[in-house]
Amino acid sequence: MELTKQPLFIGQEYALRTKPLFWKFDSSWPEKKSTPNHWVSYAVVDQNWKLVASNDLSYFELYDIVADTYEKNNLKEQHADVTRKLINSIKQWQKELPTGPCEKLFSKERQK
């Protein structure tokens, strides 16, 4: 199912996303003093929740990105059930990730 915001612009309802979105970053943990805000290795957004986590999932933060667009209030303790659910979804997603790039990702031109 294609999600588009076009109906929103003409005053119609549009379908909400039903599957979470995942991101993986190469970041160091523990965080470096030179880059204290660059520790996130994984992120997942599911409905109004956004969870960011360190590369070993030992540290994470949870935000309600609808109510708190600037992500100032870490809600991981107040919503432990949501936090567990999203951490588990990252763990499941990790199992599906390839260990490295496969040949299908490279063009024939690059293989010359």
Side-chain angles (χ1 to χ4, degrees):
M1 168 168 142
E2 180 182 342
L3 291 179
T4 176
K5 300 293 184 208
Q6 183 182 7
L8 179 65
F9 297 121
I10 57 175
Q12 298 175 351
E13 300 244 346
Y14 65 95
L16 293 176
R17 182 168 186 80
T18 58
K19 294 182 179 180
L21 289 173
F22 295 91
W23 289 267
K24 182 180 185 311
F25 310 96
D26 286 325
S27 300
S28 61
W29 183 256
E31 61 189 343
K32 295 178 182 177
K33 289 183 182 179
S34 61
T35 55
N37 297 318
H38 292 84
W39 59 268
V40 174
S41 288
Y42 294 97
V44 58
V45 172
D46 191 5
Q47 301 300 318
N48 59 309
W49 298 109
K50 177 181 177 183
L51 184 126
V52 292
S54 62
N55 59 2
D56 62 0
L57 303 179
S58 65
Y59 182 79
F60 38 86
E61 297 175 0
L62 178 71
Y63 299 98
D64 181 340
I65 57 175
V66 173
D68 179 18
T69 56
Y70 292 106
E71 299 175 17
K72 300 259 184 201
N73 301 301
N74 182 1
L75 301 173
K76 70 180 179 182
E77 292 178 11
Q78 293 93 324
H79 295 279
D81 55 330
V82 175
T83 302
R84 274 190 303 277
K85 176 187 169 215
L86 294 178
I87 287 289
N88 287 333
S89 70
I90 289 175
K91 288 178 180 178
Q92 184 60 41
W93 179 66
Q94 285 175 324
K95 293 176 186 176
E96 299 170 12
L97 292 175
T99 55
C102 66
E103 292 179 17
K104 293 179 186 178
L105 297 176
F106 301 112
S107 70
K108 291 180 182 178
E109 292 297 316
R110 187 171 183 183
Q111 294 174 358
K112 290 182 181 179

